[in-house]
Amino acid sequence: MNNAADHLSFDMALERYKEVKSKPFRINESDTLLQDYHPDYAADQTTNLNIGVNKGEHCVTELASILQADSPFDSKSICSEEFVDVLVIGGGGAGCVAALSAAETGSNVLIATKLKLGDSNTVMAEGGIQSVVNSEDSIQQHFTDTIQSSYFRAEKEVTAKMIQNGPESIRWLIELGMKFDTDDDGNLLVRKGGGATFSRVVYFKDYTGLELMRVLRSALSQSSISVLNHTPVVELLSDNGRCTGAVLLDLESRTLKIIRAKSVILATGGSGRVHINNFPTSNHIGATADGLSLAYRLGAKLRELDSFQYHPTGIIYPESLAGTLVTEGLRSAGACLLNAQGERFVDELKSRDIVSAAIIRECENGRGVELSSTVKGVWLDTPELEKNKPGILKNQFPKLMSLAKNNIINPTKDPILVYPTLHYQNGGICIDVNGESTVPGLYSTGEVSGGVHGKNRLMGNALLEVISLGRVTGKHAAITAKDVDYGEVGFSHLDKWRSERQQLCKDNNEVAPKLFPTYFNFRY
Ligand SMILES: Cc1cc2nc3c(=O)[nH]c(=O)nc-3n(C[C@H](O)[C@H](O)[C@H](O)COP(=O)(O)OP(=O)(O)OC[C@H]3O[C@@H](n4cnc5c(N)ncnc54)[C@H](O)[C@@H]3O)c2cc1C
């Protein structure tokens, strides 16, 4: 840590917080806040794609390099071949939901996943699932909130389907045995997410994702679905423009296996571990944009490749926890953000892009709490929340309170130092209302797909997408599979790709999917 005179130790910063805390509010959300401070709007962060179906479009530089990379695939080393009706790639929430729904039709379903089933962003989700559950709220209002917060970029038909199916999807989860927090009469408790008109985020403490994965895993264990752990997909197969399966890498034996499938569902999640703009991330270790690179090489159209969500409250101190998420549920419950002068500077329940830009503004203009040249942030005032609502942290936020159990920070006594953390990929693979991509036979669901969040996602809408559209996608992929035969094991898309790369991407020496972040030193 830098000890320069104008930097503070964490303890000194805490003392100052106690001295200045009672200052008045200075809420300031100028019209140019996003343009001036949100990383998505920085002109030098994007480049134009040189090859592929999105050629000529803007893409953040780090992702462009991955999308235009070569395949690791070498046909000489294939060891075995298997046939399934539906291949699901990814064992997080979306993959499990889609697989369960596909299997309900009687199809033969296989999940291939990079890590162990459930190791994913889903399992870490905290705040909850956004869906209409109260009579004063409406599907129309949820739709309007979502479209508005997407800056009118969300794809309307797919978004409408996701929201309409929301209440039924929550019922489905309850039937699977998922627990939600309820009042004494058994009514679902709801939180208000930033940018939403009504409180409609249902949750289980700050462990919603863990509880969700618990019931999905349990349902899978009682189904006929097969699971291959530690077996990431490294290339897709094609036959006359249709996706016909995938090539899997067994991480233990380092051998390649072919899975021939009538429908393929990509559910590989997001890309936080690409650390766009050098941000720390809240994402799990496998979030390396694999699905985007696989789909793009096969010819699937992608969207909003220049739009990412930086969640306002990522922990920045201690540095070992950098990027770890502190749920929006705390701000929803009333926790305020304070700068180094003890001032509130933004309405904490504005949408995430605005709150994040406001935090960055405070820090760039010398009003942040500065522990070193790289560790700057603002306070999330959890002690004040606890003072106003005694017991709330222990009762509603046990995951956060585990920081105190482990003697890291005690949020009932000390505020948490936070800064935006790279959290979510707003865009992804273009899909239709059935979850099918622009490549026949290739479906996509969950965070890897794009369309329902436009340029900014509402709290709880990612898990809604996972469940609501995951079910639709699984079902349609399985129904389609009933009417098609197995295609050939083809790689013509790869030949075309490699020749395009040779002409237009000579300087790109990358190989993707990356599978793990660069600091893992993984080699094919
Ligand atoms: C800390 C945190 C908290 C969050 N809280 C909330 C919340 O409260 N509410 C909300 O709506 N959203 C929340 N989100 C976002 C939401 O959890 C995710 O967007 C969503 O769970 C993604 O689900 P998914 O199944 O698409 O991806 P994931 O759950 O990440 O699953 C992707 C799976 O694909 C596997 N995979 C990746 N590459 C390959 C490959 N090449 N081959 C095979 N398998 C592969 C991964 O190992 C993983 O198992 C949160 C996210 C994080 C990180």
Side-chain angles (χ1 to χ4, degrees), residues 89-94 112-115 119-122 124-128 232-233 267-269 282-284 286 290 325 423-424 446-447 457 460-463 466 515:
I89 305 171
T113 193
K114 175 159 61 181
L115 304 161
D119 288 348
S120 60
N121 279 353
T122 303
M124 297 194 292
E126 301 181 355
V233 169
T268 49
S282 61
N283 284 195
H284 84 116
D290 296 1
L325 193 81
H423 185 56
Y424 190 80
E447 191 166 342
R457 168 174 79 79
N461 265 1
L463 287 185
V466 159
L515 303 188

Short mmCIF file of all heavy atoms in Angstrom, two decimals, residues 89-94 112-115 119-122 124-128 232-233 267-269 282-284 286 290 325 423-424 446-447 457 460-463 466 515, ligand 1:
data_model
loop_
_atom_site.label_atom_id
_atom_site.label_comp_id
_atom_site.label_asym_id
_atom_site.label_seq_id
_atom_site.Cartn_x
_atom_site.Cartn_y
_atom_site.Cartn_z
N ILE A 89 -24.46 -26.51 -22.75
CA ILE A 89 -23.07 -26.17 -22.43
C ILE A 89 -23.08 -25.15 -21.30
O ILE A 89 -23.48 -23.99 -21.49
CB ILE A 89 -22.35 -25.60 -23.69
CG1 ILE A 89 -22.46 -26.59 -24.84
CG2 ILE A 89 -20.90 -25.27 -23.36
CD1 ILE A 89 -21.97 -26.05 -26.17
N GLY A 90 -22.66 -25.56 -20.12
CA GLY A 90 -22.63 -24.67 -18.96
C GLY A 90 -23.52 -25.20 -17.84
O GLY A 90 -24.71 -25.48 -18.07
N GLY A 91 -22.96 -25.30 -16.66
CA GLY A 91 -23.69 -25.87 -15.52
C GLY A 91 -24.00 -24.85 -14.45
O GLY A 91 -23.93 -25.14 -13.26
N GLY A 92 -24.36 -23.63 -14.85
CA GLY A 92 -24.88 -22.64 -13.90
C GLY A 92 -26.40 -22.69 -13.92
O GLY A 92 -27.01 -23.69 -14.35
N GLY A 93 -27.03 -21.62 -13.46
CA GLY A 93 -28.49 -21.61 -13.37
C GLY A 93 -29.17 -21.81 -14.71
O GLY A 93 -30.07 -22.66 -14.85
N ALA A 94 -28.75 -21.05 -15.72
CA ALA A 94 -29.44 -21.11 -17.01
C ALA A 94 -29.31 -22.49 -17.64
O ALA A 94 -30.28 -23.04 -18.18
CB ALA A 94 -28.91 -20.04 -17.95
N ALA A 112 -22.58 -30.33 -20.32
CA ALA A 112 -21.11 -30.34 -20.23
C ALA A 112 -20.70 -29.02 -19.60
O ALA A 112 -21.10 -27.95 -20.08
CB ALA A 112 -20.50 -30.46 -21.62
N THR A 113 -19.92 -29.08 -18.53
CA THR A 113 -19.56 -27.82 -17.88
C THR A 113 -18.08 -27.75 -17.56
O THR A 113 -17.41 -28.78 -17.39
CB THR A 113 -20.46 -27.57 -16.64
OG1 THR A 113 -20.29 -26.22 -16.21
CG2 THR A 113 -20.15 -28.53 -15.50
N LYS A 114 -17.58 -26.51 -17.51
CA LYS A 114 -16.13 -26.30 -17.40
C LYS A 114 -15.58 -26.67 -16.04
O LYS A 114 -14.51 -27.24 -15.92
CB LYS A 114 -15.84 -24.83 -17.71
CG LYS A 114 -14.42 -24.42 -17.54
CD LYS A 114 -14.07 -23.17 -18.29
CE LYS A 114 -14.85 -21.95 -17.90
NZ LYS A 114 -14.45 -20.78 -18.71
N LEU A 115 -16.35 -26.31 -15.01
CA LEU A 115 -15.87 -26.57 -13.64
C LEU A 115 -16.72 -27.72 -13.10
O LEU A 115 -16.88 -28.70 -13.77
CB LEU A 115 -16.00 -25.28 -12.83
CG LEU A 115 -15.24 -24.10 -13.48
CD1 LEU A 115 -15.72 -22.78 -12.95
CD2 LEU A 115 -13.75 -24.25 -13.27
N ASP A 119 -20.71 -24.48 -10.13
CA ASP A 119 -19.66 -23.45 -9.97
C ASP A 119 -19.93 -22.40 -11.05
O ASP A 119 -19.73 -22.65 -12.23
CB ASP A 119 -18.26 -24.04 -10.19
CG ASP A 119 -17.84 -24.93 -9.04
OD1 ASP A 119 -18.51 -24.88 -8.00
OD2 ASP A 119 -16.85 -25.65 -9.19
N SER A 120 -20.36 -21.23 -10.63
CA SER A 120 -20.95 -20.30 -11.60
C SER A 120 -21.21 -18.94 -10.95
O SER A 120 -21.05 -18.79 -9.74
CB SER A 120 -22.29 -20.87 -12.05
OG SER A 120 -23.15 -21.01 -10.92
N ASN A 121 -21.66 -18.00 -11.75
CA ASN A 121 -22.13 -16.74 -11.17
C ASN A 121 -23.45 -16.94 -10.43
O ASN A 121 -23.73 -16.29 -9.44
CB ASN A 121 -22.35 -15.69 -12.28
CG ASN A 121 -21.05 -15.04 -12.70
OD1 ASN A 121 -20.01 -15.26 -12.09
ND2 ASN A 121 -21.09 -14.23 -13.74
N THR A 122 -24.27 -17.87 -10.94
CA THR A 122 -25.59 -18.06 -10.33
C THR A 122 -25.49 -18.33 -8.83
O THR A 122 -26.23 -17.74 -8.03
CB THR A 122 -26.33 -19.23 -11.01
OG1 THR A 122 -26.42 -18.97 -12.40
CG2 THR A 122 -27.74 -19.40 -10.44
N MET A 124 -23.54 -17.42 -6.71
CA MET A 124 -23.11 -16.28 -5.88
C MET A 124 -24.17 -15.18 -5.81
O MET A 124 -23.98 -14.18 -5.11
CB MET A 124 -21.83 -15.68 -6.46
CG MET A 124 -20.67 -16.64 -6.45
SD MET A 124 -19.12 -15.81 -6.75
CE MET A 124 -19.31 -15.32 -8.43
N ALA A 125 -25.27 -15.33 -6.56
CA ALA A 125 -26.27 -14.25 -6.61
C ALA A 125 -26.83 -13.99 -5.21
O ALA A 125 -27.05 -14.92 -4.43
CB ALA A 125 -27.38 -14.61 -7.58
N GLU A 126 -27.02 -12.72 -4.92
CA GLU A 126 -27.39 -12.35 -3.56
C GLU A 126 -28.78 -11.73 -3.49
O GLU A 126 -29.66 -12.17 -2.76
CB GLU A 126 -26.36 -11.35 -3.01
CG GLU A 126 -24.96 -11.90 -3.00
CD GLU A 126 -23.93 -10.94 -2.44
OE1 GLU A 126 -24.28 -9.79 -2.13
OE2 GLU A 126 -22.76 -11.35 -2.33
N GLY A 127 -28.96 -10.65 -4.26
CA GLY A 127 -30.09 -9.74 -4.05
C GLY A 127 -31.46 -10.31 -4.32
O GLY A 127 -32.43 -10.00 -3.64
N GLY A 128 -31.62 -11.16 -5.35
CA GLY A 128 -32.92 -11.76 -5.61
C GLY A 128 -33.33 -11.78 -7.07
O GLY A 128 -32.53 -11.51 -7.97
N PRO A 232 -14.88 -28.47 -20.52
CA PRO A 232 -15.36 -27.31 -21.28
C PRO A 232 -15.46 -27.58 -22.77
O PRO A 232 -14.74 -28.43 -23.30
CB PRO A 232 -14.28 -26.26 -21.02
CG PRO A 232 -13.06 -27.04 -20.67
CD PRO A 232 -13.55 -28.28 -19.96
N VAL A 233 -16.35 -26.84 -23.40
CA VAL A 233 -16.45 -26.89 -24.86
C VAL A 233 -15.40 -25.96 -25.44
O VAL A 233 -15.26 -24.82 -24.99
CB VAL A 233 -17.87 -26.49 -25.30
CG1 VAL A 233 -17.94 -26.28 -26.80
CG2 VAL A 233 -18.85 -27.58 -24.86
N ALA A 267 -24.96 -21.95 -22.52
CA ALA A 267 -25.36 -21.30 -21.26
C ALA A 267 -24.09 -21.06 -20.44
O ALA A 267 -24.00 -21.44 -19.28
CB ALA A 267 -26.35 -22.17 -20.51
N THR A 268 -23.10 -20.46 -21.10
CA THR A 268 -21.76 -20.36 -20.51
C THR A 268 -21.56 -19.11 -19.66
O THR A 268 -20.45 -18.86 -19.18
CB THR A 268 -20.70 -20.37 -21.63
OG1 THR A 268 -21.10 -19.43 -22.62
CG2 THR A 268 -20.56 -21.74 -22.25
N GLY A 269 -22.58 -18.29 -19.49
CA GLY A 269 -22.48 -17.15 -18.59
C GLY A 269 -21.69 -15.98 -19.16
O GLY A 269 -21.61 -15.81 -20.39
N SER A 282 -16.83 -9.14 -9.83
CA SER A 282 -17.59 -9.96 -8.88
C SER A 282 -17.76 -11.39 -9.40
O SER A 282 -18.30 -12.23 -8.71
CB SER A 282 -18.99 -9.35 -8.73
OG SER A 282 -19.65 -9.36 -10.00
N ASN A 283 -17.30 -11.64 -10.62
CA ASN A 283 -17.65 -12.91 -11.29
C ASN A 283 -16.79 -14.09 -10.85
O ASN A 283 -15.65 -13.92 -10.42
CB ASN A 283 -17.49 -12.76 -12.81
CG ASN A 283 -18.60 -11.97 -13.46
OD1 ASN A 283 -18.76 -12.01 -14.67
ND2 ASN A 283 -19.40 -11.24 -12.69
N HIS A 284 -17.33 -15.28 -11.06
CA HIS A 284 -16.59 -16.52 -10.72
C HIS A 284 -15.48 -16.73 -11.75
O HIS A 284 -15.46 -16.11 -12.81
CB HIS A 284 -17.56 -17.71 -10.66
CG HIS A 284 -17.85 -18.33 -11.98
ND1 HIS A 284 -17.51 -19.62 -12.29
CD2 HIS A 284 -18.45 -17.84 -13.08
CE1 HIS A 284 -17.88 -19.90 -13.53
NE2 HIS A 284 -18.46 -18.83 -14.03
N GLY A 286 -14.69 -18.84 -13.90
CA GLY A 286 -14.90 -19.35 -15.26
C GLY A 286 -15.60 -18.39 -16.20
O GLY A 286 -15.93 -18.75 -17.33
N ASP A 290 -16.40 -17.39 -22.97
CA ASP A 290 -16.21 -18.54 -23.87
C ASP A 290 -17.36 -18.68 -24.87
O ASP A 290 -17.13 -18.91 -26.07
CB ASP A 290 -16.13 -19.85 -23.07
CG ASP A 290 -14.92 -19.92 -22.16
OD1 ASP A 290 -14.15 -18.94 -22.12
OD2 ASP A 290 -14.76 -20.94 -21.48
N LEU A 325 -18.80 -8.63 -4.38
CA LEU A 325 -20.03 -7.86 -4.41
C LEU A 325 -20.64 -7.62 -3.03
O LEU A 325 -20.62 -8.51 -2.18
CB LEU A 325 -21.06 -8.62 -5.24
CG LEU A 325 -22.28 -7.80 -5.61
CD1 LEU A 325 -21.96 -6.92 -6.80
CD2 LEU A 325 -23.46 -8.68 -5.93
N HIS A 423 -19.41 -6.45 -13.36
CA HIS A 423 -20.39 -7.37 -12.81
C HIS A 423 -21.14 -8.18 -13.85
O HIS A 423 -21.41 -9.34 -13.65
CB HIS A 423 -21.38 -6.54 -11.99
CG HIS A 423 -22.40 -7.34 -11.24
ND1 HIS A 423 -22.04 -8.30 -10.33
CD2 HIS A 423 -23.75 -7.30 -11.25
CE1 HIS A 423 -23.14 -8.83 -9.80
NE2 HIS A 423 -24.19 -8.26 -10.36
N TYR A 424 -21.49 -7.56 -14.98
CA TYR A 424 -22.44 -8.23 -15.86
C TYR A 424 -22.23 -7.79 -17.31
O TYR A 424 -21.92 -6.63 -17.59
CB TYR A 424 -23.86 -7.86 -15.42
CG TYR A 424 -24.93 -8.67 -16.09
CD1 TYR A 424 -25.21 -9.96 -15.64
CD2 TYR A 424 -25.64 -8.17 -17.17
CE1 TYR A 424 -26.18 -10.72 -16.27
CE2 TYR A 424 -26.61 -8.93 -17.81
CZ TYR A 424 -26.88 -10.21 -17.34
OH TYR A 424 -27.84 -10.96 -17.96
N GLY A 446 -29.45 -17.27 -20.60
CA GLY A 446 -28.72 -16.74 -19.45
C GLY A 446 -27.83 -15.58 -19.87
O GLY A 446 -28.06 -14.93 -20.89
N GLU A 447 -26.79 -15.37 -19.08
CA GLU A 447 -25.97 -14.17 -19.28
C GLU A 447 -25.26 -14.13 -20.63
O GLU A 447 -24.95 -13.05 -21.14
CB GLU A 447 -24.94 -14.09 -18.13
CG GLU A 447 -24.22 -12.76 -18.08
CD GLU A 447 -23.47 -12.54 -16.78
OE1 GLU A 447 -23.76 -13.22 -15.77
OE2 GLU A 447 -22.59 -11.66 -16.78
N ARG A 457 -28.92 -3.24 -17.08
CA ARG A 457 -29.81 -4.26 -16.52
C ARG A 457 -30.34 -3.84 -15.16
O ARG A 457 -29.62 -3.26 -14.35
CB ARG A 457 -29.03 -5.57 -16.38
CG ARG A 457 -29.74 -6.62 -15.57
CD ARG A 457 -29.02 -7.93 -15.58
NE ARG A 457 -27.89 -8.01 -14.69
CZ ARG A 457 -27.95 -8.21 -13.38
NH1 ARG A 457 -29.12 -8.31 -12.76
NH2 ARG A 457 -26.86 -8.31 -12.67
N GLY A 460 -32.05 -8.09 -10.34
CA GLY A 460 -32.98 -9.22 -10.30
C GLY A 460 -33.46 -9.68 -11.66
O GLY A 460 -34.07 -10.75 -11.78
N ASN A 461 -33.18 -8.91 -12.72
CA ASN A 461 -33.64 -9.32 -14.05
C ASN A 461 -32.72 -10.38 -14.67
O ASN A 461 -33.12 -11.04 -15.62
CB ASN A 461 -33.74 -8.12 -14.99
CG ASN A 461 -35.15 -7.54 -15.02
OD1 ASN A 461 -36.05 -8.02 -14.34
ND2 ASN A 461 -35.35 -6.49 -15.82
N ALA A 462 -31.50 -10.53 -14.13
CA ALA A 462 -30.62 -11.58 -14.69
C ALA A 462 -31.13 -12.94 -14.27
O ALA A 462 -31.24 -13.86 -15.08
CB ALA A 462 -29.19 -11.38 -14.23
N LEU A 463 -31.47 -13.08 -12.99
CA LEU A 463 -31.99 -14.38 -12.54
C LEU A 463 -33.36 -14.65 -13.15
O LEU A 463 -33.71 -15.79 -13.44
CB LEU A 463 -32.05 -14.45 -11.01
CG LEU A 463 -30.70 -14.57 -10.30
CD1 LEU A 463 -30.90 -14.75 -8.80
CD2 LEU A 463 -29.85 -15.72 -10.84
N VAL A 466 -32.60 -16.07 -16.47
CA VAL A 466 -32.10 -17.43 -16.31
C VAL A 466 -33.26 -18.42 -16.19
O VAL A 466 -33.29 -19.47 -16.84
CB VAL A 466 -31.19 -17.49 -15.05
CG1 VAL A 466 -31.05 -18.90 -14.51
CG2 VAL A 466 -29.82 -16.88 -15.35
N LEU A 515 -11.07 -20.10 -21.41
CA LEU A 515 -11.38 -21.04 -20.31
C LEU A 515 -11.07 -20.49 -18.92
O LEU A 515 -11.86 -20.63 -17.99
CB LEU A 515 -10.70 -22.40 -20.48
CG LEU A 515 -11.00 -23.16 -21.77
CD1 LEU A 515 -10.39 -24.56 -21.69
CD2 LEU A 515 -12.47 -23.25 -22.11
C1 LIG B 1 -21.78 -12.01 -7.10
C2 LIG B 1 -22.97 -11.94 -8.00
C3 LIG B 1 -24.22 -11.63 -7.50
C4 LIG B 1 -25.33 -11.55 -8.34
N1 LIG B 1 -26.57 -11.30 -7.81
C5 LIG B 1 -27.65 -11.31 -8.62
C6 LIG B 1 -28.96 -11.15 -8.10
O1 LIG B 1 -29.16 -11.06 -6.90
N2 LIG B 1 -30.00 -11.13 -8.97
C7 LIG B 1 -29.83 -11.27 -10.32
O2 LIG B 1 -30.80 -11.25 -11.06
N3 LIG B 1 -28.59 -11.45 -10.83
C8 LIG B 1 -27.51 -11.48 -10.03
N4 LIG B 1 -26.27 -11.69 -10.56
C9 LIG B 1 -26.17 -12.02 -11.98
C10 LIG B 1 -26.65 -13.46 -12.19
O3 LIG B 1 -26.32 -14.23 -11.06
C11 LIG B 1 -26.01 -14.08 -13.41
O4 LIG B 1 -26.13 -13.26 -14.51
C12 LIG B 1 -26.67 -15.40 -13.75
O5 LIG B 1 -26.71 -16.22 -12.63
C13 LIG B 1 -25.93 -16.07 -14.89
O6 LIG B 1 -26.39 -17.37 -15.01
P1 LIG B 1 -25.82 -18.26 -16.19
O7 LIG B 1 -26.29 -19.64 -15.95
O8 LIG B 1 -26.08 -17.61 -17.47
O9 LIG B 1 -24.23 -18.19 -15.98
P2 LIG B 1 -23.40 -18.84 -14.78
O10 LIG B 1 -24.24 -19.03 -13.61
O11 LIG B 1 -22.14 -18.08 -14.63
O12 LIG B 1 -23.06 -20.29 -15.37
C14 LIG B 1 -22.22 -20.43 -16.49
C15 LIG B 1 -21.67 -21.83 -16.48
O13 LIG B 1 -21.03 -22.11 -17.72
C16 LIG B 1 -19.79 -22.75 -17.47
N5 LIG B 1 -18.90 -22.50 -18.60
C17 LIG B 1 -18.25 -21.37 -18.93
N6 LIG B 1 -17.52 -21.57 -20.05
C18 LIG B 1 -17.72 -22.86 -20.44
C19 LIG B 1 -17.23 -23.67 -21.50
N7 LIG B 1 -16.33 -23.22 -22.39
N8 LIG B 1 -17.66 -24.95 -21.60
C20 LIG B 1 -18.55 -25.46 -20.68
N9 LIG B 1 -19.01 -24.75 -19.64
C21 LIG B 1 -18.61 -23.45 -19.53
C22 LIG B 1 -19.34 -22.12 -16.16
O14 LIG B 1 -18.35 -22.90 -15.55
C23 LIG B 1 -20.65 -22.06 -15.40
O15 LIG B 1 -20.93 -23.27 -14.78
C24 LIG B 1 -25.16 -11.78 -9.73
C25 LIG B 1 -23.91 -12.09 -10.24
C26 LIG B 1 -22.82 -12.17 -9.40
C27 LIG B 1 -21.48 -12.50 -9.98
#
